[in-house]
Amino acid sequence: TIITLLQDKSVFNILKYILSKHAINIYNYQPDNTQNDLFDLAILDCDNNEKTIHEFIKKIENTPKPTPLILAINNKFKTHLDNNSFNNIIGVIYKPLDMMDLIPIINTIK
């Protein structure tokens, strides 16, 4: 199961379609959802506002099992990445996302 915080709903829909072909469940984070699931992977689009990013990180870190995290960033995010610590980062992908580059990373988590 993958949880995402993606700014662009169309990217989420494309990713959901591709992953469904691989029998992988994916959910986009909703702040009002209090459900605490275990996630195999988290994908964070760092173009979201800082408050939402913080809430998302808190959700994935407050699980019994550490959730591996992939950051989806643009080139301007590098300075922010240097100034903040995110636990469990296993990869960084640059936007715009190339879905076919993401599948091999996801397959290592399954």
Side-chain angles (χ1 to χ4, degrees), residues 24-68:
I24 299 172
N25 295 323
I26 183 169
Y27 302 97
N28 206 28
Y29 171 73
Q30 300 297 320
D32 56 345
N33 184 352
T34 58
Q35 181 179 357
N36 281 326
D37 289 333
L38 292 177
F39 305 105
D40 299 307
L41 179 66
I43 302 172
L44 170 60
D45 178 347
C46 294
D47 283 341
N48 285 283
N49 69 59
E50 286 195 36
K51 180 179 183 249
T52 306
I53 290 173
H54 177 73
E55 291 168 355
F56 178 79
I57 295 296
K58 186 176 175 183
K59 179 169 181 77
I60 66 170
E61 287 183 345
N62 287 336
T63 58
K65 178 182 123 186
T67 304

Short mmCIF file of all heavy atoms in Angstrom, two decimals, residues 24-68:
data_model
loop_
_atom_site.label_atom_id
_atom_site.label_comp_id
_atom_site.label_asym_id
_atom_site.label_seq_id
_atom_site.Cartn_x
_atom_site.Cartn_y
_atom_site.Cartn_z
N ILE A 24 -1.13 -2.95 -6.87
CA ILE A 24 -0.65 -2.12 -5.76
C ILE A 24 -1.71 -1.07 -5.44
O ILE A 24 -2.16 -0.35 -6.32
CB ILE A 24 0.69 -1.43 -6.12
CG1 ILE A 24 1.77 -2.48 -6.40
CG2 ILE A 24 1.12 -0.50 -5.01
CD1 ILE A 24 3.06 -1.91 -6.95
N ASN A 25 -2.11 -1.01 -4.16
CA ASN A 25 -3.07 0.00 -3.72
C ASN A 25 -2.37 1.32 -3.45
O ASN A 25 -1.27 1.34 -2.90
CB ASN A 25 -3.78 -0.44 -2.44
CG ASN A 25 -4.63 -1.66 -2.66
OD1 ASN A 25 -5.25 -1.82 -3.70
ND2 ASN A 25 -4.65 -2.54 -1.67
N ILE A 26 -3.02 2.41 -3.83
CA ILE A 26 -2.45 3.74 -3.61
C ILE A 26 -3.56 4.67 -3.14
O ILE A 26 -4.69 4.60 -3.62
CB ILE A 26 -1.76 4.27 -4.88
CG1 ILE A 26 -1.11 5.63 -4.63
CG2 ILE A 26 -2.70 4.30 -6.06
CD1 ILE A 26 -0.20 6.10 -5.75
N TYR A 27 -3.20 5.53 -2.17
CA TYR A 27 -4.15 6.49 -1.62
C TYR A 27 -3.47 7.85 -1.57
O TYR A 27 -2.30 7.94 -1.21
CB TYR A 27 -4.57 6.09 -0.20
CG TYR A 27 -5.18 4.72 -0.13
CD1 TYR A 27 -4.43 3.62 0.23
CD2 TYR A 27 -6.52 4.53 -0.46
CE1 TYR A 27 -4.99 2.35 0.27
CE2 TYR A 27 -7.09 3.27 -0.43
CZ TYR A 27 -6.32 2.19 -0.06
OH TYR A 27 -6.88 0.94 -0.03
N ASN A 28 -4.22 8.90 -1.88
CA ASN A 28 -3.69 10.24 -1.72
C ASN A 28 -4.08 10.74 -0.33
O ASN A 28 -5.22 10.59 0.10
CB ASN A 28 -4.22 11.18 -2.81
CG ASN A 28 -3.27 12.34 -3.07
OD1 ASN A 28 -2.07 12.23 -2.86
ND2 ASN A 28 -3.81 13.45 -3.51
N TYR A 29 -3.12 11.29 0.38
CA TYR A 29 -3.31 11.76 1.74
C TYR A 29 -4.42 12.81 1.83
O TYR A 29 -4.48 13.73 1.03
CB TYR A 29 -2.00 12.34 2.26
CG TYR A 29 -2.11 13.06 3.58
CD1 TYR A 29 -2.28 12.34 4.75
CD2 TYR A 29 -2.04 14.44 3.64
CE1 TYR A 29 -2.38 13.00 5.97
CE2 TYR A 29 -2.14 15.10 4.86
CZ TYR A 29 -2.31 14.38 6.01
OH TYR A 29 -2.40 15.02 7.21
N GLN A 30 -5.27 12.65 2.81
CA GLN A 30 -6.31 13.61 3.14
C GLN A 30 -6.14 13.99 4.61
O GLN A 30 -6.18 13.12 5.47
CB GLN A 30 -7.71 13.01 2.93
CG GLN A 30 -7.99 12.58 1.51
CD GLN A 30 -7.96 13.74 0.54
OE1 GLN A 30 -8.45 14.83 0.84
NE2 GLN A 30 -7.38 13.53 -0.62
N PRO A 31 -5.91 15.27 4.92
CA PRO A 31 -5.66 15.68 6.31
C PRO A 31 -6.75 15.27 7.29
O PRO A 31 -6.46 15.00 8.44
CB PRO A 31 -5.57 17.20 6.24
CG PRO A 31 -5.23 17.49 4.83
CD PRO A 31 -5.86 16.40 4.01
N ASP A 32 -7.99 15.20 6.83
CA ASP A 32 -9.09 14.87 7.76
C ASP A 32 -9.26 13.38 7.97
O ASP A 32 -10.09 12.96 8.77
CB ASP A 32 -10.40 15.48 7.27
CG ASP A 32 -10.76 15.06 5.86
OD1 ASP A 32 -9.89 14.53 5.15
OD2 ASP A 32 -11.92 15.27 5.46
N ASN A 33 -8.46 12.56 7.30
CA ASN A 33 -8.54 11.11 7.48
C ASN A 33 -7.67 10.72 8.68
O ASN A 33 -6.46 10.87 8.65
CB ASN A 33 -8.06 10.39 6.21
CG ASN A 33 -8.21 8.88 6.32
OD1 ASN A 33 -8.54 8.35 7.38
ND2 ASN A 33 -7.96 8.20 5.22
N THR A 34 -8.30 10.20 9.73
CA THR A 34 -7.56 9.84 10.94
C THR A 34 -7.13 8.38 10.96
O THR A 34 -6.55 7.91 11.93
CB THR A 34 -8.42 10.12 12.19
OG1 THR A 34 -9.63 9.36 12.08
CG2 THR A 34 -8.73 11.60 12.32
N GLN A 35 -7.40 7.67 9.88
CA GLN A 35 -7.04 6.25 9.81
C GLN A 35 -5.52 6.10 9.86
O GLN A 35 -4.79 6.81 9.19
CB GLN A 35 -7.58 5.68 8.50
CG GLN A 35 -7.31 4.22 8.30
CD GLN A 35 -7.92 3.74 6.97
OE1 GLN A 35 -8.56 4.48 6.26
NE2 GLN A 35 -7.68 2.50 6.67
N ASN A 36 -5.02 5.19 10.69
CA ASN A 36 -3.59 4.92 10.79
C ASN A 36 -3.30 3.56 10.19
O ASN A 36 -3.39 2.55 10.87
CB ASN A 36 -3.11 4.98 12.24
CG ASN A 36 -2.92 6.39 12.72
OD1 ASN A 36 -2.55 7.26 11.95
ND2 ASN A 36 -3.19 6.62 13.98
N ASP A 37 -2.98 3.54 8.94
CA ASP A 37 -2.62 2.30 8.25
C ASP A 37 -1.11 2.13 8.23
O ASP A 37 -0.36 3.07 8.46
CB ASP A 37 -3.12 2.32 6.80
CG ASP A 37 -4.63 2.20 6.71
OD1 ASP A 37 -5.25 1.62 7.61
OD2 ASP A 37 -5.17 2.68 5.72
N LEU A 38 -0.71 0.93 7.93
CA LEU A 38 0.70 0.68 7.64
C LEU A 38 0.89 0.88 6.15
O LEU A 38 0.10 0.39 5.34
CB LEU A 38 1.09 -0.74 8.04
CG LEU A 38 1.10 -1.04 9.52
CD1 LEU A 38 1.42 -2.51 9.75
CD2 LEU A 38 2.12 -0.17 10.23
N PHE A 39 1.93 1.58 5.77
CA PHE A 39 2.20 1.85 4.38
C PHE A 39 3.54 1.25 4.00
O PHE A 39 4.50 1.28 4.77
CB PHE A 39 2.21 3.36 4.12
CG PHE A 39 0.94 4.04 4.57
CD1 PHE A 39 0.92 4.81 5.72
CD2 PHE A 39 -0.23 3.88 3.85
CE1 PHE A 39 -0.24 5.42 6.15
CE2 PHE A 39 -1.40 4.48 4.26
CZ PHE A 39 -1.40 5.25 5.41
N ASP A 40 3.61 0.69 2.80
CA ASP A 40 4.86 0.15 2.30
C ASP A 40 5.76 1.24 1.73
O ASP A 40 6.97 1.07 1.65
CB ASP A 40 4.59 -0.90 1.21
CG ASP A 40 3.78 -2.07 1.75
OD1 ASP A 40 4.21 -2.64 2.77
OD2 ASP A 40 2.73 -2.39 1.18
N LEU A 41 5.14 2.35 1.32
CA LEU A 41 5.88 3.44 0.68
C LEU A 41 5.07 4.71 0.76
O LEU A 41 3.83 4.69 0.70
CB LEU A 41 6.14 3.10 -0.80
CG LEU A 41 6.89 4.12 -1.64
CD1 LEU A 41 8.34 4.26 -1.15
CD2 LEU A 41 6.88 3.71 -3.10
N ALA A 42 5.77 5.84 0.88
CA ALA A 42 5.14 7.16 0.82
C ALA A 42 5.84 7.97 -0.27
O ALA A 42 7.06 7.90 -0.41
CB ALA A 42 5.26 7.88 2.16
N ILE A 43 5.04 8.70 -1.03
CA ILE A 43 5.58 9.59 -2.06
C ILE A 43 5.11 11.00 -1.73
O ILE A 43 3.91 11.25 -1.63
CB ILE A 43 5.12 9.18 -3.47
CG1 ILE A 43 5.54 7.75 -3.78
CG2 ILE A 43 5.68 10.15 -4.52
CD1 ILE A 43 4.96 7.20 -5.08
N LEU A 44 6.05 11.90 -1.56
CA LEU A 44 5.75 13.27 -1.14
C LEU A 44 6.14 14.25 -2.23
O LEU A 44 7.30 14.35 -2.60
CB LEU A 44 6.51 13.60 0.15
CG LEU A 44 6.52 15.05 0.62
CD1 LEU A 44 5.11 15.55 0.87
CD2 LEU A 44 7.38 15.20 1.86
N ASP A 45 5.15 14.96 -2.74
CA ASP A 45 5.37 16.06 -3.68
C ASP A 45 5.67 17.29 -2.82
O ASP A 45 4.81 17.79 -2.10
CB ASP A 45 4.12 16.28 -4.53
CG ASP A 45 4.25 17.44 -5.49
OD1 ASP A 45 5.19 18.25 -5.36
OD2 ASP A 45 3.39 17.55 -6.38
N CYS A 46 6.89 17.76 -2.87
CA CYS A 46 7.33 18.82 -1.97
C CYS A 46 6.87 20.21 -2.38
O CYS A 46 7.27 21.19 -1.76
CB CYS A 46 8.84 18.75 -1.83
SG CYS A 46 9.36 17.24 -1.00
N ASP A 47 6.03 20.31 -3.41
CA ASP A 47 5.45 21.60 -3.78
C ASP A 47 4.18 21.90 -3.00
O ASP A 47 3.52 22.90 -3.27
CB ASP A 47 5.16 21.65 -5.28
CG ASP A 47 6.42 21.88 -6.10
OD1 ASP A 47 7.42 22.35 -5.53
OD2 ASP A 47 6.41 21.58 -7.31
N ASN A 48 3.82 21.07 -2.07
CA ASN A 48 2.67 21.33 -1.20
C ASN A 48 3.08 22.34 -0.13
O ASN A 48 4.27 22.57 0.11
CB ASN A 48 2.19 20.03 -0.55
CG ASN A 48 1.45 19.16 -1.52
OD1 ASN A 48 0.30 19.41 -1.82
ND2 ASN A 48 2.12 18.12 -2.03
N ASN A 49 2.10 22.89 0.57
CA ASN A 49 2.44 23.86 1.61
C ASN A 49 3.09 23.15 2.79
O ASN A 49 2.87 21.96 3.03
CB ASN A 49 1.21 24.70 2.02
CG ASN A 49 0.17 23.90 2.76
OD1 ASN A 49 0.46 23.31 3.82
ND2 ASN A 49 -1.04 23.86 2.25
N GLU A 50 3.88 23.90 3.53
CA GLU A 50 4.68 23.31 4.61
C GLU A 50 3.84 22.67 5.71
O GLU A 50 4.23 21.64 6.26
CB GLU A 50 5.64 24.34 5.19
CG GLU A 50 6.80 24.63 4.25
CD GLU A 50 7.94 25.35 4.94
OE1 GLU A 50 8.20 25.06 6.13
OE2 GLU A 50 8.56 26.20 4.30
N LYS A 51 2.70 23.26 6.02
CA LYS A 51 1.83 22.69 7.06
C LYS A 51 1.34 21.31 6.65
O LYS A 51 1.38 20.36 7.44
CB LYS A 51 0.65 23.62 7.33
CG LYS A 51 -0.30 23.10 8.39
CD LYS A 51 -1.45 24.07 8.63
CE LYS A 51 -2.33 23.55 9.74
NZ LYS A 51 -3.62 23.13 9.32
N THR A 52 0.89 21.17 5.41
CA THR A 52 0.40 19.88 4.92
C THR A 52 1.53 18.86 4.85
O THR A 52 1.35 17.70 5.21
CB THR A 52 -0.27 20.05 3.55
OG1 THR A 52 -1.28 21.06 3.65
CG2 THR A 52 -0.91 18.75 3.08
N ILE A 53 2.71 19.30 4.41
CA ILE A 53 3.87 18.40 4.38
C ILE A 53 4.18 17.90 5.78
O ILE A 53 4.40 16.71 6.00
CB ILE A 53 5.10 19.10 3.76
CG1 ILE A 53 4.88 19.30 2.25
CG2 ILE A 53 6.37 18.30 4.01
CD1 ILE A 53 5.96 20.12 1.57
N HIS A 54 4.18 18.81 6.75
CA HIS A 54 4.46 18.42 8.14
C HIS A 54 3.45 17.40 8.65
O HIS A 54 3.82 16.42 9.30
CB HIS A 54 4.47 19.67 9.03
CG HIS A 54 4.68 19.37 10.47
ND1 HIS A 54 5.90 18.99 11.00
CD2 HIS A 54 3.81 19.37 11.52
CE1 HIS A 54 5.76 18.77 12.29
NE2 HIS A 54 4.51 19.00 12.64
N GLU A 55 2.16 17.62 8.37
CA GLU A 55 1.12 16.68 8.79
C GLU A 55 1.30 15.32 8.13
O GLU A 55 1.11 14.28 8.77
CB GLU A 55 -0.27 17.25 8.46
CG GLU A 55 -0.66 18.44 9.29
CD GLU A 55 -1.89 19.16 8.77
OE1 GLU A 55 -2.41 18.79 7.69
OE2 GLU A 55 -2.33 20.12 9.44
N PHE A 56 1.65 15.33 6.86
CA PHE A 56 1.88 14.08 6.12
C PHE A 56 3.06 13.31 6.71
O PHE A 56 2.95 12.10 6.98
CB PHE A 56 2.15 14.41 4.64
CG PHE A 56 2.44 13.20 3.78
CD1 PHE A 56 1.42 12.39 3.33
CD2 PHE A 56 3.74 12.91 3.38
CE1 PHE A 56 1.67 11.30 2.52
CE2 PHE A 56 4.00 11.82 2.57
CZ PHE A 56 2.97 11.00 2.14
N ILE A 57 4.16 14.01 6.96
CA ILE A 57 5.35 13.37 7.55
C ILE A 57 4.99 12.80 8.93
O ILE A 57 5.37 11.68 9.28
CB ILE A 57 6.52 14.37 7.66
CG1 ILE A 57 6.98 14.80 6.27
CG2 ILE A 57 7.66 13.79 8.48
CD1 ILE A 57 7.57 13.70 5.41
N LYS A 58 4.25 13.56 9.71
CA LYS A 58 3.85 13.09 11.04
C LYS A 58 3.03 11.80 10.94
O LYS A 58 3.23 10.87 11.71
CB LYS A 58 3.05 14.19 11.75
CG LYS A 58 2.71 13.88 13.17
CD LYS A 58 2.01 15.07 13.81
CE LYS A 58 1.56 14.72 15.21
NZ LYS A 58 0.81 15.81 15.83
N LYS A 59 2.11 11.75 9.96
CA LYS A 59 1.27 10.57 9.78
C LYS A 59 2.11 9.34 9.44
O LYS A 59 1.92 8.28 10.02
CB LYS A 59 0.22 10.79 8.71
CG LYS A 59 -0.65 9.55 8.49
CD LYS A 59 -1.84 9.83 7.63
CE LYS A 59 -2.71 8.62 7.44
NZ LYS A 59 -3.55 8.27 8.54
N ILE A 60 3.05 9.48 8.51
CA ILE A 60 3.82 8.29 8.10
C ILE A 60 4.88 7.92 9.13
O ILE A 60 5.31 6.77 9.17
CB ILE A 60 4.44 8.43 6.70
CG1 ILE A 60 5.50 9.51 6.63
CG2 ILE A 60 3.35 8.63 5.65
CD1 ILE A 60 6.30 9.53 5.36
N GLU A 61 5.29 8.86 9.97
CA GLU A 61 6.25 8.53 11.02
C GLU A 61 5.58 7.96 12.26
O GLU A 61 6.24 7.34 13.08
CB GLU A 61 7.10 9.76 11.37
CG GLU A 61 8.10 10.10 10.28
CD GLU A 61 9.00 11.26 10.65
OE1 GLU A 61 8.70 12.00 11.60
OE2 GLU A 61 10.01 11.43 9.95
N ASN A 62 4.28 8.16 12.42
CA ASN A 62 3.55 7.65 13.58
C ASN A 62 2.91 6.30 13.29
O ASN A 62 1.76 6.06 13.65
CB ASN A 62 2.49 8.65 14.03
CG ASN A 62 3.10 9.86 14.70
OD1 ASN A 62 4.19 9.80 15.22
ND2 ASN A 62 2.38 10.97 14.67
N THR A 63 3.65 5.44 12.63
CA THR A 63 3.18 4.09 12.36
C THR A 63 4.15 3.12 13.03
O THR A 63 5.30 3.46 13.26
CB THR A 63 3.11 3.81 10.84
OG1 THR A 63 4.40 4.00 10.27
CG2 THR A 63 2.10 4.72 10.15
N PRO A 64 3.68 1.92 13.36
CA PRO A 64 4.57 0.96 14.03
C PRO A 64 5.80 0.57 13.20
O PRO A 64 6.83 0.24 13.75
CB PRO A 64 3.67 -0.26 14.24
CG PRO A 64 2.28 0.25 14.16
CD PRO A 64 2.32 1.43 13.23
N LYS A 65 5.66 0.62 11.88
CA LYS A 65 6.77 0.25 11.00
C LYS A 65 7.21 1.49 10.21
O LYS A 65 6.36 2.18 9.66
CB LYS A 65 6.26 -0.83 10.03
CG LYS A 65 7.25 -1.31 9.01
CD LYS A 65 6.60 -2.33 8.10
CE LYS A 65 6.73 -1.84 6.67
NZ LYS A 65 6.04 -2.63 5.70
N PRO A 66 8.52 1.79 10.17
CA PRO A 66 8.98 2.95 9.40
C PRO A 66 8.53 2.86 7.93
O PRO A 66 8.59 1.80 7.32
CB PRO A 66 10.50 2.88 9.50
CG PRO A 66 10.77 2.03 10.69
CD PRO A 66 9.62 1.07 10.78
N THR A 67 8.04 3.97 7.40
CA THR A 67 7.57 4.01 6.02
C THR A 67 8.65 4.62 5.13
O THR A 67 9.03 5.78 5.33
CB THR A 67 6.29 4.87 5.91
OG1 THR A 67 5.31 4.33 6.80
CG2 THR A 67 5.75 4.87 4.50
N PRO A 68 9.16 3.87 4.15
CA PRO A 68 10.13 4.46 3.21
C PRO A 68 9.48 5.62 2.47
O PRO A 68 8.30 5.58 2.14
CB PRO A 68 10.45 3.31 2.25
CG PRO A 68 9.98 2.07 2.94
CD PRO A 68 8.87 2.48 3.85
#
